[in-house]
Amino acid sequence: KSASRAYQETEFTGFRTFIKAKSGRGKPTLYEPFSAVAKHAVERDMAIGMNEVYIIDKNDALGLQTEVTYFTLPDTDYPGLVRRARFKNTGKKALDLGVLDGLAQLEPYGVDDWALKMQGRNLEGWMNVYNLDEDAGMPWFKLSASFKDAAEVNEIIEGNFALAWVEGEEGAGALPQVVDPAIVFGSDTSLLKADVFDRHASLAELLALEQTTASRTPCSFAAKALSLKPGESVVINSVF
């Protein structure tokens, strides 16, 4: 994509974090770090290294600091992007968080630039997410077959995976994934706000909803409930 289009779309279709934050007996507050339409006064910064990008969002009103580091996966025979998200309680009270962290839109392997621009909605008919029932923590995003208007239909073997886990949480396994954007955004196809997540009181209620895994452009959000004491932090690692 051109830079001008990326500036418009990345905030909505790229990596995003939605947090249901609750402190004490107060009502849960839905907050999206790094959003341009944040309702609270926040402090943000960015640093770029040789193979990493680091961004930080500090919200003093919520007592929450979110740090994200991106880097490519080294020494492997397949390409991968690592996202390392740290959530830190900077307030004076315990903080309960329901976190959705990941990609708001994932275009599976085999989709070319022309098809994305000209056949976006029609293209969804070939999109599927596998392995969600067998292993909820490692969904496999794949086109069912070639989508070209041609006499010969070809099988597409390649695809994309997503995997997330809590750093240092031994034996916990991969985090559950939300791959259906309707579970997060509802009917808001602009992807502006996580309406469904906002309406549900807890992350567990959201994960209990049935997900559609076919004929819809998928998302890929790792889900985790966190309880942080003052000064405590937790890191969620994701590989795409």
Side-chain angles (χ1 to χ4, degrees):
K1 293 182 179 180
S2 63
S4 58
R5 288 195 63 191
Y7 297 151
Q8 293 176 325
E9 297 180 19
T10 299
E11 183 179 358
F12 301 104
T13 62
F15 287 101
R16 299 174 70 176
T17 304
F18 297 104
I19 301 173
K20 261 306 200 39
K22 184 176 183 296
S23 179
R25 297 182 179 180
K27 293 184 178 180
T29 300
L30 180 65
Y31 177 62
E32 182 182 358
F34 310 106
S35 171
V37 292
K39 296 181 180 180
H40 305 281
V42 295
E43 182 180 333
R44 291 170 178 164
D45 202 356
M46 177 176 68
I48 301 175
M50 293 294 291
N51 185 40
E52 67 276 341
V53 175
Y54 169 83
I55 54 177
I56 183 172
D57 178 293
K58 187 175 182 181
N59 187 323
D60 290 332
L62 287 177
L64 178 65
Q65 181 170 298
T66 306
E67 307 167 25
V68 176
T69 305
Y70 298 96
F71 56 93
T72 55
L73 197 62
D75 300 325
T76 59
D77 57 359
Y78 56 89
L81 178 68
V82 179
R83 173 182 167 93
R84 191 171 186 267
R86 178 187 295 275
F87 305 95
K88 182 178 182 180
N89 183 351
T90 59
K92 298 180 179 179
K93 297 181 179 180
L95 201 58
D96 293 322
L97 307 177
V99 177
L100 290 178
D101 184 79
L103 269 174
Q105 205 170 76
L106 193 153
E107 306 287 352
Y109 172 90
V111 179
D112 59 30
D113 184 61
W114 183 89
L116 283 176
K117 292 177 179 177
M118 307 301 293
Q119 287 187 308
R121 182 63 69 188
N122 183 53
L123 191 62
E124 290 184 323
W126 283 266
M127 293 183 181
N128 293 275
V129 182
Y130 303 94
N131 203 43
L132 197 63
D133 295 332
E134 295 84 353
D135 184 356
M138 193 170 176
W140 180 246
F141 305 89
K142 184 177 173 298
L143 295 180
S144 56
S146 60
F147 56 87
K148 302 287 186 180
D149 187 11
E152 183 178 354
V153 177
N154 299 313
E155 180 184 12
I156 294 182
I157 300 175
E158 298 86 348
N160 304 88
F161 73 86
L163 177 67
W165 68 96
V166 174
E167 186 172 293
E169 197 171 74
E170 299 295 336
L175 296 178
Q177 294 267 353
V178 176
V179 301
D180 183 357
I183 298 297
V184 182
F185 301 99
S187 59
D188 183 6
T189 54
S190 70
L191 308 184
L192 177 63
K193 184 180 177 183
D195 281 337
V196 178
F197 189 27
D198 194 19
R199 290 199 305 267
H200 284 77
S202 69
L203 191 61
E205 290 182 11
L206 191 79
L207 292 174
L209 300 176
E210 184 178 357
Q211 300 193 57
T212 297
T213 58
S215 300
R216 182 172 290 171
T217 302
C219 59
S220 181
F221 286 106
K224 179 64 176 178
L226 302 173
S227 294
L228 301 178
K229 298 176 182 178
E232 189 177 16
S233 65
V234 170
V235 175
I236 295 178
N237 291 317
S238 302
V239 179
F240 296 86

